[in-house]
Amino acid sequence: MVYFSAMPRPLPIALAQLPPRPYTHTVASYAREVETLLSAHPDTRLVAFPELHLCGVEGSATERNGQLNAAAQPLEGSRTRELAQLAGDLGVWLAPGSVCERGDEGQLFNTALVFSPEGQLAGSYRKIFPWRPYEPYHPGDRFVVADLAEFGRIGFSICYDTWFPEVTRHLAWLGAELVLNPVQTTTPDRAQELVLARANAITNQLFVASVNTAGPVGMGDSILVDPEGAVLGHLPGGTPGVLAQTIDLDDVARVRREGTAGFARVWDQFAPDDAPLELPLYQGRIEPGRWRPQAGGTR
């Protein structure tokens, strides 16, 4: 496995820590929000928003669940088409957060999306670990990565997913170099999620971008972490704002090649002739020959 590419791959990203938009608002009104952000950060190539940014709800638990169901559309519905056109019109990679998706059998999914500058849906991921018993979503059944053309490969996790290390480990194994983690954390455990963002980045040697909803709904504290766990950017508290930073996805290859802090090479842990390690929790095993990450689309 070769972990390095021929040249740097800078990716200017912008994480939008903003309050959710009411689910009744149109994509056209959201477009103005994206345009305003890009006018302030014109070099941005990937813009990412929080969990359920386009599906803001309020009221009692029963009222919120009813509104979330009312906001749900099939993946191929009008909202997806309009968001794809928006990304194409703006010529950027657009990750509008997650939306309420209506499944083929009527299920309600919490689904993260990313659209290409050509106006195509490049990836969709259904939240595997909804926050039970508080969220009404049906869990997704697969890990998802998407290739961002000349930049590299990203993976998706949504909010509570980050508490389960299996998610980020599988995304790294699938070749993700950056994990987008849209969040709508309204509770005091955002402090713990900041630790988890750094831990997931360190143990998998990749970038983590965790973008939370701003106040008064969310706790904010959006964070961008590099493959060695260093915090590249942080928006403290719930004040609305934009975290704009250029990252080099080739840093993932460098850290895996040289080791975290110049020492730890977690993806080189197993030798081909090591015995498999049984994983009784999963009724599976680690096969040494399958341990290292898959190659991303640009490597």
Side-chain angles (χ1 to χ4, degrees):
M1 174 65 64
V2 177
Y3 286 129
F4 54 90
S5 59
M7 58 190 303
R9 288 175 286 135
L11 173 61
I13 67 175
L15 308 182
Q17 179 172 291
L18 297 172
R21 303 183 63 81
Y23 77 96
T24 53
H25 282 198
T26 64
V27 171
S29 66
Y30 168 63
R32 292 189 287 273
E33 186 174 61
V34 184
E35 290 165 356
T36 299
L37 185 155
L38 292 175
S39 67
H41 305 280
D43 295 331
T44 299
R45 301 304 301 141
L46 169 63
V47 57
F49 290 81
E51 179 183 18
L52 297 174
H53 183 65
L54 301 178
C55 298
V57 298
E58 59 184 6
S60 67
T62 299
E63 290 170 332
R64 292 196 304 272
N65 288 347
Q67 293 165 26
L68 291 171
N69 274 280
Q73 291 188 17
L75 187 61
E76 66 277 8
S78 60
R79 178 175 54 208
T80 298
R81 293 193 298 272
E82 292 173 26
L83 288 169
Q85 181 175 343
L86 174 61
D89 290 345
L90 297 175
V92 297
W93 291 95
L94 175 63
S98 64
V99 298
C100 293
E101 178 199 350
R102 183 67 66 196
D104 293 339
E105 299 177 2
Q107 313 99 309
L108 181 66
F109 294 107
N110 185 345
T111 303
L113 308 171
V114 66
F115 298 89
S116 75
E118 292 72 39
Q120 300 294 324
L121 177 63
S124 64
Y125 162 72
R126 294 167 171 171
K127 188 175 185 178
I128 291 176
F129 292 102
W131 190 37
R132 290 176 168 169
Y134 307 103
E135 295 182 350
Y137 309 110
H138 191 92
D141 62 2
R142 67 199 63 188
F143 306 101
V144 175
V145 295
D147 288 325
L148 270 58
E150 71 272 24
F151 296 114
R153 183 169 290 179
I154 66 170
F156 300 92
S157 68
I158 300 175
C159 203
Y160 199 43
D161 287 332
T162 199
W163 289 76
F164 299 86
E166 298 86 350
V167 175
T168 310
R169 176 54 48 89
H170 275 84
L171 294 175
W173 183 76
L174 287 168
E177 298 159 300
L178 163 66
V179 172
L180 281 183
N181 176 232
V183 177
Q184 192 179 92
T185 295
T186 62
T187 47
D189 56 353
R190 182 60 181 165
Q192 282 70 32
E193 290 178 346
L194 299 181
V195 176
L196 292 171
R198 297 186 67 187
N200 282 322
I202 292 168
T203 56
N204 295 288
Q205 296 178 321
L206 44 60
F207 289 95
V208 172
S210 182
V211 52
N212 192 17
T213 301
V217 175
M219 302 293 289
D221 273 324
S222 297
I223 192 171
L224 177 64
V225 185
D226 82 359
E228 295 184 271
V231 176
L232 300 177
H234 177 215
L235 294 176
T239 303
V242 176
L243 198 171
Q245 183 92 23
T246 296
I247 62 175
D248 181 1
L249 291 182
D250 203 49
D251 282 348
V252 173
R254 176 188 58 78
V255 172
R256 292 176 181 177
R257 181 174 67 249
E258 298 175 2
T260 299
F263 289 96
R265 298 178 178 85
V266 295
W267 294 109
D268 291 328
Q269 176 63 32
F270 295 101
D273 57 350
D274 284 345
L277 175 64
E278 300 296 330
L279 301 175
L281 173 61
Y282 306 107
Q283 295 184 334
R285 62 168 67 182
I286 291 176
E287 293 282 356
R290 288 169 52 84
W291 175 246
R292 289 174 174 165
Q294 301 175 22
T298 63
R299 288 182 289 178

